[in-house]
Amino acid sequence: MKFITAESGLPLPPCAATIGCFDGVHRGHRYLIDQVRREALARGLHSALITFPVHPRQVMQSGYCPQWLTCLPQKKELLQQEDADYCILLPFTHELSLLSARRFMELLHTRFNVQALVIGYDHRFGHNRSEGFADYCRYGKELGIEVVHARALVEDGVSISSSLIRTLLKQGDAVRANRCLGYRYYLDGKVVSGYQVGRKLGFPTANLQPSCPDKLVPREGVYAVYAYVGDNRYPGMLNIGRRPTVDNGTERSIEVHIIGFEGNLYQHALRVEFMQYIREEQKFEGIEALIAQLQQDKATIIRLLG
């Protein structure tokens, strides 16, 4: 896949394309991308994905704070694995937001040589998003763009979407979220100095500062995770919360006890993959009760992950 920016000025060959944020690049997105590839192949066209480096709502709504499943570098990394010819990174600007659906389709046709447009089952575009699929088909006939309605990936009566996955992660349901994603939800970041409480309890932790501040942090509580240190993978016990038992602050922290690892990770890069929610964060009567629970959590995670 070749990434194209609006400034690159490269002429594109005739394409079948689709538009979307592709947040998470989940199984629903990959199902759509496969449809684009097949529609392109059937027409002798190249396949293209059109996405936005910045979420449109960040342009339209001041103060909007997205909760990404993937930030742009992660999204590009995942899209790179897909079997499409081009990914067009189209900056979403205020001027672009004012275009009608017809004008937007005209832009795709003239600037990016889009000959066929595969439109997601619930996707709307254009100023105020007031037009629908029948309108897109009419504009397509006028402009010389064939418009194709994409099918959704539905499982258990529910369409797999970024919104669904966000809801699952906010509920702590990492297992179902991972199933919808087609990979394990993860946070990348750097290990920063923490409160050093875990070390005193016999459970030293790495305090993770996510590299993408806008990425969604799942529900607070204790998780079974995999932690990646360099090329090595370890089972881990991760806590998202505010440490109510030790009462040393109210700021949320993301701390992982890496089982089987010994060494100093301060300022090192770390990735954690969420596997399963274990329990809610809770306040214990004392330190001994907390340590007993941590030992039980660790045994549970070793049993789950090995």
Side-chain angles (χ1 to χ4, degrees):
M1 179 186 292
K2 188 169 187 176
F3 285 90
I4 303 294
T5 64
E7 297 79 24
S8 62
L10 295 175
L12 291 181
C15 293
T18 191
I19 315 161
C21 285
F22 295 103
D23 185 26
V25 195
H26 50 67
R27 289 176 52 228
H29 290 140
R30 295 200 288 278
Y31 187 68
L32 172 62
I33 293 168
D34 187 59
Q35 291 176 70
V36 174
R37 186 187 60 80
R38 286 187 280 109
E39 296 292 346
L41 189 63
R43 292 162 176 78
L45 302 172
H46 287 72
S47 55
L49 313 176
I50 301 168
T51 191
F52 308 105
V54 176
H55 196 287
R57 286 181 64 183
Q58 288 178 279
V59 176
M60 301 298 294
Q61 301 175 16
S62 62
Y64 172 70
C65 296
Q67 292 187 305
W68 291 114
L69 299 175
T70 46
C71 292
L72 184 60
Q74 299 168 347
K75 181 167 72 171
K76 289 175 67 176
E77 180 183 329
L78 289 165
L79 286 173
Q80 188 72 57
Q81 301 169 19
E82 298 305 309
D83 191 15
D85 296 313
Y86 299 100
C87 180
I88 300 166
L89 299 172
L90 180 62
F92 193 88
T93 62
H94 179 68
E95 291 74 23
L96 192 67
S97 73
L98 297 177
L99 294 181
S100 65
R102 190 188 190 285
R103 288 289 306 279
F104 182 66
M105 289 176 65
E106 185 178 2
L107 179 148
L108 298 182
H109 187 54
T110 56
R111 187 186 297 183
F112 301 115
N113 209 355
V114 173
Q115 305 295 317
L117 185 60
V118 182
I119 297 178
Y121 71 100
D122 63 347
H123 189 73
R124 286 177 177 262
F125 55 85
H127 185 58
N128 292 332
R129 296 160 57 93
S130 58
E131 294 144 303
F133 185 74
D135 300 303
Y136 306 148
C137 290
R138 186 171 71 256
Y139 303 148
K141 288 180 180 178
E142 296 169 359
L143 296 167
I145 300 175
E146 185 178 359
V147 178
V148 181
H149 210 173
R151 300 181 303 278
L153 179 59
V154 179
E155 290 186 352
D156 300 324
V158 179
S159 298
I160 292 179
S161 67
S162 301
S163 297
L164 171 64
I165 295 167
R166 286 190 197 93
T167 298
L168 293 172
L169 290 170
K170 289 176 182 179
Q171 293 171 347
D173 195 345
V175 173
R176 284 184 63 201
N178 290 347
R179 191 180 306 133
C180 292
L181 285 165
Y183 59 89
R184 299 162 185 154
Y185 188 71
Y186 62 90
L187 292 176
D188 285 334
K190 182 174 65 174
V191 177
V192 297
S193 60
Y195 291 92
Q196 306 295 321
V197 174
R199 188 173 303 278
K200 298 173 185 176
L201 301 177
F203 293 88
T205 60
N207 190 31
L208 181 69
Q209 181 181 71
S211 56
C212 176
D214 291 330
K215 188 165 184 179
L216 186 148
V217 175
R219 175 187 177 184
E220 294 188 357
V222 178
Y223 291 83
V225 300
Y226 281 122
Y228 289 82
V229 181
D231 295 328
N232 298 313
R233 185 182 79 174
Y234 299 86
M237 177 170 64
L238 180 140
N239 184 78
I240 301 171
R242 303 167 200 278
R243 308 164 304 278
T245 303
V246 295
D247 193 25
N248 64 348
T250 58
E251 290 186 8
R252 183 184 66 185
S253 65
I254 305 169
E255 300 176 79
V256 57
H257 171 65
I258 304 175
I259 300 169
F261 175 81
E262 294 183 5
N264 184 4
L265 285 176
Y266 181 63
Q267 294 297 315
H268 281 248
L270 184 67
R271 170 174 289 191
V272 292
E273 293 179 339
F274 290 79
M275 298 299 294
Q276 188 168 323
Y277 189 79
I278 302 300
R279 63 172 176 85
E280 293 182 348
E281 186 179 51
Q282 61 191 97
K283 184 171 184 177
F284 294 92
E285 293 183 359
I287 296 299
E288 294 304 319
L290 172 59
I291 292 173
Q293 182 63 59
L294 292 176
Q295 290 171 339
Q296 183 178 325
D297 294 338
K298 183 175 180 179
T300 298
I301 290 167
I302 290 174
R303 189 165 60 251
L304 283 171
L305 304 183

